[in-house]
Amino acid sequence: MKASLQDKEWVAKFEKPKGDPSGFLKPATTVLSPYLKFGCLSSRYFYHCIQDVYRSVRNYTKPPVSLSGQLLWRDFFYKVFFGTPNFDQIKGNKICKQIPWSENEELFVAWRDGRTGYPWIDAIMIQLRKWGWMHHLARHSVSCLLTRGDLFIHWEKGRDVFERLLIDSDWAINNGNWLWLSCSSFFYQYHRIYSPITFGKKYDPNGNYIRHFIPVLKDMSREYIYEPWTAPLSIHKKAKCIICKDYPKPVVDHDTASKECRKRMGEAYASNRLDSNSSKGKPSNLSRRKWSHGDHGASNSSIAKLLRTSRSE
């Protein structure tokens, strides 16, 4: 912690969700989450140490995007799960959109094992399995692809994988983020989807992250490192990586799959609205503030602004 806070300029300018998800030799965050999770580091002590840094500089970012704001998000998810029965599941969870997710074990296993055919996604899942950690934007990428982005598979299945493999897996935060990234709660702009091709490319155009975690692609041309299936056979042979033999082709076509996911999400949201309207009576303003309705207080301007600002994709 002290090593992270020594760079006062970095602390003052810290702004989430900005950061480089492809940075693995030198991560773009403090990587203190496992120590906070296991109680090796007091979150309260960390918070006040950050405040000490803020008092020593002229300008610094503010919550919810600041470094101290990340600790507030931690408490946010704790507070919501404490007041939400069945927070860790879709059934009986009043703040969770009831979405008819698909059952496709083949696609799920491909995602879990880093064999989707999308190098950016596969590298992230391999890093998770090998290191037990990855950048928060990398987590966003794979969570989106599994659920509302491409595969339309239940967020609970992804949550279980993270729970088992992440060294910083925290029950409230893990469940809360899967609810968020699947657009089942908190965040509802389901049409905004992380591309498994272009998102990683803007941070790491040479594909160094992919080359590190997927050695079979280490000699792939920069032009095709994020889409190796589009390269001609001559490129495959030169890179000693033949698609469908040494590395899989994509399990789905992203353009087609994401379009279908948007359609199914729209239908699910419409169905949730109908179910809400047909329920007996209307919830009071108080009950809305207590997150007891499917929209859980989205009309509350302060909360809505907080959510929009910090988790914009």
Side-chain angles (χ1 to χ4, degrees):
M1 182 200 73
K2 289 179 179 178
S4 294
L5 299 185
Q6 279 182 347
D7 188 344
K8 295 183 179 181
E9 182 180 3
W10 180 83
V11 174
K13 292 182 177 180
F14 183 94
E15 188 174 352
K16 194 174 180 181
K18 293 181 179 179
D20 183 358
S22 67
F24 59 97
L25 294 179
K26 185 180 180 181
T29 64
T30 65
V31 199
L32 288 171
S33 50
Y35 304 96
L36 289 166
K37 177 261 169 75
F38 284 104
C40 306
L41 173 63
S42 162
S43 58
R44 182 177 298 179
Y45 177 65
F46 186 22
Y47 178 85
H48 285 291
C49 287
I50 295 172
Q51 301 308 307
D52 289 341
V53 174
Y54 289 162
R55 282 190 284 271
S56 70
V57 297
R58 178 172 296 182
N59 297 306
Y60 53 88
T61 55
K62 304 296 191 296
V65 299
S66 63
L67 188 57
S68 63
Q70 306 320 301
L71 292 172
L72 300 182
W73 275 116
R74 182 174 181 268
D75 274 15
F76 168 82
F77 281 125
Y78 283 6
K79 183 178 179 68
V80 176
F81 102 74
F82 181 79
T84 307
N86 303 308
F87 182 65
D88 63 340
Q89 61 187 44
I90 188 173
K91 186 177 181 180
N93 184 345
K94 291 185 177 181
I95 71 167
C96 180
K97 296 286 188 184
Q98 301 301 298
I99 298 170
W101 302 105
S102 299
E103 291 284 344
N104 191 315
E105 190 65 14
E106 184 178 353
L107 289 178
F108 169 69
V109 170
W111 174 85
R112 181 195 67 192
D113 295 347
R115 300 287 294 173
T116 67
Y118 287 102
W120 170 245
I121 298 299
D122 294 342
I124 295 168
M125 295 305 293
I126 291 170
Q127 182 186 20
L128 169 62
R129 187 167 295 278
K130 288 187 173 182
W131 290 16
W133 185 92
M134 65 281 214
H135 189 275
H136 60 272
L137 289 178
R139 303 181 194 203
H140 290 191
S141 293
V142 296
S143 301
C144 180
L145 182 129
L146 179 70
T147 57
R148 63 183 173 85
D150 292 77
L151 307 185
F152 212 73
I153 291 174
H154 205 308
W155 61 267
E156 289 178 19
K157 299 200 71 169
R159 181 273 318 276
D160 290 344
V161 172
F162 276 26
E163 179 71 26
R164 185 169 67 254
L165 297 178
L166 280 173
I167 59 174
D168 63 359
S169 179
D170 182 298
W171 190 88
I173 298 170
N174 189 30
N175 279 285
N177 275 309
W178 275 98
L179 283 164
W180 196 306
L181 268 298
S182 66
C183 282
S184 295
S185 193
F186 308 116
F187 179 79
Y188 301 112
Q189 297 179 38
Y190 60 82
H191 59 281
R192 301 180 66 179
I193 292 173
Y194 288 92
S195 167
I197 300 167
T198 61
F199 185 73
K201 188 183 294 186
K202 69 179 181 180
Y203 295 99
D204 180 21
N206 192 52
N208 294 331
Y209 176 79
I210 292 170
R211 298 176 198 279
H212 179 85
F213 288 104
I214 311 179
V216 72
L217 292 173
K218 65 182 178 65
D219 295 321
M220 183 60 65
S221 166
R222 168 180 170 141
E223 182 182 355
Y224 299 106
I225 187 68
Y226 285 88
E227 303 174 86
W229 66 92
T230 65
L233 183 59
S234 60
I235 296 294
H236 292 169
K237 289 181 177 180
K238 184 177 181 181
K240 298 178 182 179
C241 178
I242 307 300
I243 299 303
C244 295
K245 177 185 176 184
D246 302 306
Y247 183 74
K249 67 178 182 179
V251 291
V252 295
D253 175 75
H254 173 63
D255 290 339
T256 302
S258 59
K259 183 178 180 180
E260 177 63 19
C261 282
R262 288 188 182 97
K263 177 177 176 290
R264 295 176 72 174
M265 288 294 290
E267 291 170 350
Y269 270 43
S271 177
N272 276 258
R273 284 193 293 270
L274 287 174
D275 291 344
S276 177
N277 291 336
S278 64
S279 62
K280 293 183 180 180
K282 293 184 177 180
S284 65
N285 288 334
L286 178 61
S287 68
R288 287 194 184 96
R289 287 195 294 271
K290 289 184 177 178
W291 306 76
S292 64
H293 187 261
D295 211 19
H296 63 76
S299 59
N300 185 310
S301 60
S302 61
I303 292 178
K305 182 179 180 180
L306 181 70
L307 303 187
R308 285 196 304 271
T309 302
S310 67
R311 293 292 191 164
S312 170
E313 291 182 61

